[in-house]
Amino acid sequence: MIQTAFNILAICGAAGFSGVMLCIGVTLGGYWRSLPPAEFLTWFAVNNHFVSNSIPLIVGPTLIGLGGSLWAGWGAPGFVLWVASALFMLVVLGLTFAYFVPTNAAFASKSIEVAATAAKLDQWLMLHNLRIGLAMIAAVLGCIALKL
């Protein structure tokens, strides 16, 4: 029973994280691109906390679920897939802390030159799409692991 709870938490967490990022990328990304660069930086300075506060709410349970799925599924047929799922999420977190946290801070503090803002936002959105895909793959791997 506990293994099932961990599995559900891991899969729903990774899928939910992907969904949160998809909403940010599609909805906010489209809006951000429609703004002149200076207005985007102003928006980001005022509203970044809404974006950044949503991430820990879903990452924490995801990591608990993945950790528990690895622990409870040790040696099970789907264990390798749980390891792969966890690795995908670790890459997502690595990208988040190595790129997105500092870039978001630069946007929020307006320390990026206005002339470079559009290109930096395009780069941000491209890497963000990668994170979405990786988190989706992590969720799918968990689903496949349950079938083994």
Side-chain angles (χ1 to χ4, degrees):
M1 181 65 176
I2 188 80
Q3 182 175 3
T4 301
F6 283 134
N7 294 162
I8 290 169
L9 199 56
I11 293 167
C12 291
F17 189 31
S18 181
V20 167
M21 290 188 298
L22 184 63
C23 182
I24 291 168
V26 172
T27 305
L28 291 175
Y31 172 66
W32 293 338
R33 280 186 165 156
S34 75
L35 297 173
E39 287 183 38
F40 161 72
L41 292 174
T42 298
W43 183 96
F44 211 91
V46 172
N47 297 293
N48 177 46
H49 67 284
F50 292 117
V51 174
S52 62
N53 288 344
S54 66
I55 302 301
L57 294 174
I58 200 149
V59 170
T62 305
L63 295 177
I64 291 168
L66 281 169
S69 293
L70 289 170
W71 169 75
W74 190 268
F79 180 73
V80 171
L81 293 173
W82 285 115
V83 170
S85 179
L87 290 174
F88 274 93
M89 287 306 297
L90 287 175
V91 171
V92 168
L93 292 176
L95 282 169
T96 299
F97 288 107
Y99 178 80
F100 289 92
V101 169
T103 302
N104 289 1
F107 284 152
S109 67
K110 300 182 182 182
S111 61
I112 293 179
E113 293 182 30
V114 173
T117 300
K120 191 67 169 178
L121 177 58
D122 286 343
Q123 179 185 47
W124 190 102
L125 289 168
M126 181 192 64
L127 289 172
H128 187 71
N129 288 336
L130 175 64
R131 284 195 311 170
I132 293 166
L134 293 174
M136 283 183 181
I137 291 169
V140 168
L141 288 171
C143 291
I144 295 169
L146 293 179
K147 297 302 252 175
L148 298 180

